[in-house]
């Protein structure tokens, strides 16, 4: 990548498109985080992508560290992935009926996740989480859900509640339109804090249907689980007979072929997946033990459905994406991420600009903070103004970093050594200028 300097405040075509989009689409975007509001910019509009690169409509080229929020683990348009969609397209776009590839994708998921005996494909991570929670409530005949602050599980009402991280605080709506009733059944606790969880469970010993967690948090920047946190969740879920739901929409096939649960050797009762299993096409999945999954209609009494569930193009793209994943891939992804993060740490020490770097597998984020970031409260203490200036400096040098302090960056197998060296040069320049 050549030395790049982009005037990010003067992206004429993006600005023109954004104005038009704002007349027709709320906020000019179809998902809030793309608005670039949290980095005090207007959004860039992408014209095309290939490998490790994306181009905006003003013909500027960027190294992509977002990769469609983690879905594109092989970068853009990997040959086998592209061919898989082209071959599927020749046979149709959607049948609204069963087809053979649904079995192959389900088999790939079941073979990869020790805790998954059966899996249902849906169209998004949100749908997967909605279904998992409905299943947990039906299976346990209980209503309350425990989640953790800083974790995001999609935009279903049940998980759009928040509360102070007080032990017994019941949920408050985290979004307009979520009723107090709905929110009151969801309790939010601090991540990486078992003491609070134990107190809460002992307070409602027979009312908790499920504990849902991002086993490695990706939606607060990256926050890995502290020692024994996940094992404690497993033990307490078993003790109080509630289900443990691992939301692996990000970590599934990202951290390993069996996601976080294989890496940390913890078996959840239900798992939600998305992103990588569709290779960038719309998809989600919920999987788990047969005795729970068999509650789903048409077998059982838990209703769930979707016009485009198991869509042939998404499924073909997902199969091709998963088939490219092997030990060598994960070794490359992990060593690339470790190299990048180690070198950024050295630059931070050399320049005296204090940053915290959190990583897990091939997902990472940096915080402008003096001390370790281990939960949402500590993440919120980081200097977001510095992050905004850092993000803008990186973007002007052609590095497409996740446009929020509270998101992750994702390494793809398309990234090469020279890309890392370019990124590190831009990184040093960016932190010196904030
Ligand atoms: P979707 O409904 O966006 O497919 O998945 C929701 C979801 C569920 N669980 C986890 C752990 C997730 O990270 C997500 C969605 N992730 C965000 C990025 N952090 C999607 C990006 C966006 O909202 O535009």
């Amino acid at each position: 990548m050549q030395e790049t300097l982009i005037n990010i405040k003067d992206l004429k075509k993006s600005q023109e498109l954004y104005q038009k989009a704002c007349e027709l689409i709320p906020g000019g975007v179809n998902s809030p985080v793309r608005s670039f509001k949290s980095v005090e910019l207007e959004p860039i509009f992408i014209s095309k992508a290939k490998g490790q690169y994306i181009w905006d409509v003003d013909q500027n080229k960027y190294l992509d560290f977002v990769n469609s929020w983690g879905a594109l683990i092989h970068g853009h348009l990997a040959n086998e992935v592209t061919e898989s969609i082209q071959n599927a397209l020749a046979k149709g776009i959607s049948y609204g009926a069963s087809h053979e590839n649904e079995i192959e994708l389900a088999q790939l998921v079941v073979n990869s996740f020790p805790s998954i005996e059966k899996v249902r494909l849906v169209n998004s991570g949100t749908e997967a989480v909605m279904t998992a929670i409905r299943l947990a409530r039906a299976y346990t005949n209980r209503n309350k859900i425990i989640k953790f602050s800083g974790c995001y599980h999609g935009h279903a009402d049940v998980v759009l509640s928040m509360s102070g991280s007080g032990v017994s605080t019941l949920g408050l709506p985290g979004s307009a339109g979520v009723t107090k009733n709905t929110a009151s059944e969801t309790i939010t606790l601090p991540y990486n804090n078992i003491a609070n969880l134990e107190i809460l469970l002992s307070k409602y010993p027979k009312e908790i249907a499920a504990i849902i967690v991002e086993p490695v948090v990706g939606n607060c920047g990256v926050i890995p689980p502290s020692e024994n946190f996940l094992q404690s969740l497993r033990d307490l879920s078993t003790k109080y007979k509630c289900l443990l739901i691992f939301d692996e929409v990000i970590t599934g096939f990202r951290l390993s072929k069996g996601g976080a649960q294989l890496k940390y050797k913890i078996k959840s009762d239900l798992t939600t997946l998305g992103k990588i299993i569709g290779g960038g096409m719309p998809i989600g999945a919920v999987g788990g033990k047969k005795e729970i999954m068999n509650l789903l209609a048409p077998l059982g009494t838990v209703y769930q459905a979707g016009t485009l569930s198991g869509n042939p193009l998404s499924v073909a793209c997902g199969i091709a994406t998963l088939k490219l994943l092997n030990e060598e891939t994960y070794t490359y992804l992990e060593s690339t991420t470790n190299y990048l993060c180690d070198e950024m740490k050295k630059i931070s020490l050399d320049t005296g600009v204090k940053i915290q770097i959190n990583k897990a597998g091939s997902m990472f984020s940096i915080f402008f903070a003096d001390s370790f970031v281990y939960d949402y409260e500590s993440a919120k203490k980081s200097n977001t103004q510095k992050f905004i200036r850092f993000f803008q400096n990186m973007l002007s040098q052609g590095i497409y970093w996740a446009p929020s302090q509270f998101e992750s960056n994702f390494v793809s197998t398309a990234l090469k050594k020279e890309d890392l060296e370019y990124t590190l040069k831009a990184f040093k320049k960016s932190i010196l200028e904030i």
Side-chain angles (χ1 to χ4, degrees):
M1 178 126 172
Q2 275 85 28
E3 192 86 13
T4 299
L5 205 51
I6 301 163
N7 182 352
I8 58 171
K9 306 276 174 93
D10 188 28
L11 300 173
K12 290 201 178 344
K13 186 73 179 145
S14 271
Q15 285 160 1
E16 182 195 315
L17 291 177
Y18 181 55
Q19 295 317 319
K20 282 185 193 157
C22 284
E23 288 160 24
L24 299 163
I25 306 168
V29 292
N30 285 309
S31 198
V33 73
R34 303 175 194 171
S35 66
F36 277 37
K37 275 204 177 336
S38 54
V39 286
E40 295 179 359
L41 288 172
E42 290 188 353
I44 63 173
F45 279 64
I46 305 304
S47 62
K48 63 177 182 176
K50 177 66 182 156
Q52 67 272 53
Y53 302 116
I54 54 173
W55 285 260
D56 67 18
V57 291
D58 293 284
Q59 277 81 45
N60 297 304
K61 179 178 175 183
Y62 303 87
L63 267 175
D64 188 2
F65 281 94
V66 178
N67 286 301
S68 186
W69 301 100
L72 302 173
I73 196 162
H74 304 300
H76 298 271
L77 297 178
N79 293 338
E80 298 84 347
V81 175
T82 310
E83 276 158 36
S84 71
I85 301 176
Q86 287 163 341
N87 294 339
L89 184 58
K91 298 176 194 157
I93 292 177
S94 175
Y95 311 133
S98 299
H99 60 97
E100 189 175 355
N101 269 353
E102 290 172 295
I103 300 167
E104 184 170 2
L105 183 54
Q107 191 65 71
L108 285 168
V109 170
V110 168
N111 292 350
S112 305
F113 282 76
S115 70
I116 297 180
E117 296 175 336
K118 278 194 175 179
V119 58
R120 169 67 58 91
L121 298 179
V122 295
N123 298 285
S124 69
T126 294
E127 277 188 50
V129 165
M130 279 168 64
T131 307
I133 289 174
R134 190 176 305 143
L135 274 170
R137 284 173 160 164
Y139 183 77
T140 61
N141 197 22
R142 298 175 178 180
N143 295 341
K144 284 186 175 57
I145 300 294
I146 292 173
K147 63 186 278 284
F148 297 92
S149 44
C151 291
Y152 172 71
H153 303 290
H155 63 89
D157 284 7
V158 60
V159 284
L160 271 190
S161 101
M162 55 188 277
S163 69
S165 48
V167 169
S168 58
T169 318
L170 292 185
L172 299 169
S175 158
V178 175
T179 65
K180 283 202 174 63
N181 262 355
T182 302
S184 70
E185 297 195 316
T186 303
I187 302 152
T188 302
L189 296 174
Y191 187 78
N192 277 333
N193 181 321
I194 285 302
N196 279 1
L197 178 61
E198 284 181 311
I199 294 168
L200 198 287
L201 286 166
S202 60
K203 180 168 181 171
Y204 301 106
K206 296 190 174 3
E207 296 182 56
I208 308 296
I211 297 171
I212 184 166
V213 69
E214 287 187 69
V216 172
V217 183
N219 288 290
C220 191
V222 175
I223 300 181
S226 55
E227 189 79 21
N228 296 327
F229 178 64
L230 297 180
Q231 186 58 57
S232 302
L233 292 186
R234 178 62 278 166
D235 297 345
L236 288 168
S237 298
T238 304
K239 178 180 175 187
Y240 285 92
K241 297 183 174 49
C242 57
L243 296 190
L244 178 59
I245 303 173
F246 270 11
D247 179 353
E248 298 223 41
V249 167
I250 285 182
T251 55
F253 292 99
R254 169 64 56 183
L255 297 192
S256 82
K257 199 107 196 218
Q261 55 194 272
L262 187 65
K263 183 181 173 93
Y264 293 99
K265 300 184 179 50
I266 303 281
K267 272 192 174 184
S268 54
D269 299 302
L270 287 172
T271 301
T272 52
L273 298 167
K275 298 181 194 276
I276 293 173
I277 66 165
M281 294 286 283
I283 202 162
V286 51
K289 297 174 189 164
K290 280 188 183 126
E291 61 179 309
I292 305 172
M293 294 300 293
N294 285 343
L295 285 174
L296 280 175
L299 260 185
T301 54
V302 177
Y303 196 70
Q304 181 279 331
T307 305
L308 299 177
S309 296
N311 170 271
L313 303 186
S314 295
V315 168
C317 190
I319 291 169
T321 299
L322 299 189
K323 283 185 168 177
L324 286 175
L325 294 170
N326 53 46
E327 274 316 302
E328 195 188 325
T329 321
Y330 288 107
T331 304
Y332 180 78
L333 286 167
E334 194 128 357
S335 59
T336 301
T337 308
N338 290 343
Y339 173 74
L340 193 61
C341 292
D342 293 348
E343 292 302 309
M344 286 195 292
K345 192 67 191 165
K346 283 180 199 160
I347 292 168
S348 153
L349 295 172
D350 293 349
T351 57
V353 178
K354 283 214 175 82
I355 60 169
Q356 299 297 319
I357 302 178
N358 283 1
K359 65 181 163 72
S362 53
M363 56 194 279
F364 71 95
S365 61
I366 69 164
F367 298 89
F368 290 93
D370 296 345
S371 48
F372 183 48
V373 174
Y374 57 89
D375 65 3
Y376 185 46
E377 294 312 312
S378 51
K380 281 194 297 185
K381 291 192 183 107
S382 62
N383 186 325
T384 50
Q385 282 308 309
K386 281 188 177 179
F387 179 82
I388 290 167
R389 291 194 295 277
F390 165 77
F391 174 86
Q392 294 188 6
N393 290 346
M394 292 291 268
L395 192 69
S396 65
Q397 295 179 85
I399 307 283
Y400 188 61
W401 204 264
S404 162
Q405 170 64 81
F406 304 108
E407 292 289 354
S408 300
N409 295 290
F410 299 98
V411 170
S412 79
T413 54
L415 272 178
K416 303 292 172 267
K417 189 81 165 60
E418 58 268 26
D419 302 316
L420 305 180
E421 299 313 328
Y422 179 81
T423 303
L424 290 165
K425 262 178 70 183
F427 174 80
K428 182 169 187 176
K429 193 163 177 288
S430 297
I431 63 170
L432 283 172
E433 286 171 6
I434 56 174

